[in-house]
Amino acid sequence: MGRYCGYIAVASSLASRDVNICLIPEVHFQLEGPDGVYETIMERCKVKGHCLVVIAEGAEDGLV
């Protein structure tokens, strides 16, 4: 379907309205650090008790 096209993951995440984080290859992100994905997941879990993450194929290419 396209290894570097995150539009399917984004469209399904928006349609479900349950997804908290969507990682796609078009947007660069950090896993660790003050603005990292790990910290965001942990903070969400502390506040709400859960965190639903959608990871598109090829999203590891978005790592900084």
Side-chain angles (χ1 to χ4, degrees):
M1 287 227 161
R3 179 166 170 77
Y4 302 107
C5 299
Y7 70 92
I8 297 172
V10 171
S12 60
S13 296
L14 290 172
S16 76
R17 299 179 59 193
D18 292 327
V19 176
N20 301 114
I21 298 172
C22 181
L23 302 176
I24 58 173
E26 293 89 351
V27 177
H28 298 291
F29 57 90
Q30 294 179 344
L31 291 178
E32 298 175 0
D35 295 326
V37 175
Y38 292 149
E39 284 73 20
T40 304
I41 291 171
M42 296 310 288
E43 185 63 33
R44 171 72 184 184
C45 288
K46 287 178 187 175
V47 173
K48 296 288 186 174
H50 69 279
C51 184
L52 182 61
V53 180
V54 172
I55 304 172
E57 183 181 7
E60 73 276 358
D61 294 336
L63 288 172
V64 175

